[in-house]
Amino acid sequence: KAAKTSKGLAHVACWEKEKRILIELAEKLDVVAVLEAREDFYKFCQYMDGAFFTKKKWHLKLIARYLGELAMGNIKMVLCSLPPRAGKSYITSLFHAWIIGKFPEDSSMRNSYAAELAEKFSYDIRAMIQKERYLKVFPDVKLKPDRAAVGDWAITSARDSSYFCAGVGGSILGKGARKVATLDDPLKGIQEALSENVLNGVWNWYMANHMSRLEGGCVELHVATRWSKRDPIGRITEGKEFKVERERPMSPVALPCRRSWSGAPPSQRR
């Protein structure tokens, strides 16, 4: 009995030691993941939602690479065209959350076709930066209690607004974006895209209001489902009504519609 008891205790002690080793290893791996997420935008996406950012969604990794370059100022404008439900708005929200943590003193803007949608995106980002997992990556990020309105809010280290938004046609006076200015789906759908008056109105608002909020070296991100060649992305790339300066190079990210999209990266298609 004594021998069996001694053997059993030894077995338990061995398991406890292995368990401690595994816990320490997991903690070390998490530390590495946190450090990578802080420096690499796609690693941040995987850390925040590994179940969503899988190898199957190769297009998100491609977009993340361009957005990482945009954040560093190596690219001045990214034009991202994707079909509905492809994850473009989600990765854009994560991008803004990452920007807020990485550049806590700067301000960013994200506008959309309606104030309700713009504020929904803002609400999502504000919720992201308060999650425990996010705070492991950026522990110093804290909302200012007196600057927490959904359409215009700030973290404690910001010089002014950290994030603000509006719907196309809305007012954004008195605010300036120093880091990233995003125009996310400026057209609601095909019906708006069929109206030349709506298309011109969106373009005029973009030029007069959206663009007037950019300060210093602020970069631009355009994200949209393309309903018309006359949308802002179309007019920018056409170059007739808006000429992109040579010192502000564009980096278009265009992916095929679902009808012709096999789901595999271009390098794997035949």
Side-chain angles (χ1 to χ4, degrees):
K1 280 186 178 180
K4 287 183 178 180
T5 302
S6 176
K7 186 176 181 181
L9 290 173
H11 180 74
V12 170
C14 183
W15 164 241
E16 289 297 330
K17 184 179 179 181
E18 290 179 358
K19 186 178 177 181
R20 285 196 301 271
I21 292 171
L22 289 172
I23 291 172
E24 289 174 4
L25 179 59
E27 289 174 348
K28 287 179 181 178
L29 289 174
D30 190 60
V31 169
V32 171
V34 164
L35 293 174
E36 289 180 339
R38 196 174 295 161
E39 298 302 319
D40 185 285
F41 175 55
Y42 187 68
K43 295 288 186 182
F44 173 77
C45 293
Q46 290 181 309
Y47 185 76
M48 292 296 291
D49 193 351
F52 187 82
F53 289 90
T54 61
K55 288 183 179 180
K56 186 177 180 181
K57 295 170 183 166
W58 58 270
H59 62 291
L60 296 178
K61 185 175 183 179
L62 173 66
I63 293 168
R65 187 184 77 197
Y66 281 109
L67 294 185
E69 292 293 313
L70 184 72
M72 297 301 111
N74 299 328
I75 297 172
K76 298 300 181 183
M77 181 184 290
V78 167
L79 312 174
C80 180
S81 173
L82 280 168
R85 310 304 299 169
K88 62 184 182 298
S89 290
Y90 184 34
I91 196 172
T92 302
S93 292
L94 284 165
F95 179 60
H96 276 278
W98 187 68
I99 285 288
I100 288 165
K102 197 161 179 64
F103 304 96
E105 293 185 357
D106 284 330
S107 56
S108 294
M109 170 179 70
R110 183 182 184 184
N111 302 319
S112 190
Y113 66 77
E116 292 82 0
L117 182 61
E119 290 181 357
K120 190 265 182 190
F121 291 149
S122 178
Y123 181 87
D124 291 344
I125 296 165
R126 200 174 59 177
M128 279 180 192
I129 68 168
Q130 297 178 80
K131 288 183 177 180
E132 181 182 353
R133 200 159 183 81
Y134 178 90
L135 292 171
K136 283 186 177 181
V137 182
F138 300 111
D140 296 328
V141 170
K142 293 179 179 63
L143 277 173
K144 279 185 180 178
D146 59 340
R147 288 292 303 279
V150 70
D152 182 6
W153 48 270
I155 61 174
T156 53
S157 52
R159 286 177 283 179
D160 193 8
S161 298
S162 293
Y163 183 98
F164 61 94
C165 64
V168 170
S171 175
I172 43 177
L173 297 175
K175 305 179 186 74
R178 289 185 296 272
K179 191 61 189 175
V180 180
T182 300
L183 188 59
D184 189 342
D185 272 333
L187 293 170
K188 187 175 182 178
I190 187 64
Q191 292 302 318
E192 287 194 351
L194 292 173
S195 169
E196 191 66 23
N197 288 336
V198 171
L199 291 170
N200 288 335
V202 169
W203 178 253
N204 292 335
W205 184 88
Y206 163 69
M207 291 295 293
N209 291 275
H210 182 94
M211 288 293 292
S212 69
R213 298 299 96 200
L214 275 64
E215 296 180 355
C218 184
V219 298
E220 286 191 68
L221 170 60
H222 290 256
V223 182
T225 294
R226 301 294 307 281
W227 300 106
S228 169
K229 291 181 179 180
R230 300 279 294 161
D231 67 359
I233 288 180
R235 298 192 191 202
I236 289 170
T237 53
E238 185 182 37
K240 293 178 181 177
E241 296 180 69
F242 184 92
K243 186 176 180 181
V244 179
E245 298 172 355
R246 289 187 181 276
E247 60 267 24
R248 290 179 63 85
M250 296 185 300
S251 185
V253 180
L255 295 169
C257 295
R258 288 187 183 277
R259 290 180 183 176
S260 59
W261 186 12
S262 69
S267 61
Q268 295 179 16
R269 294 187 203 144
R270 294 185 178 181

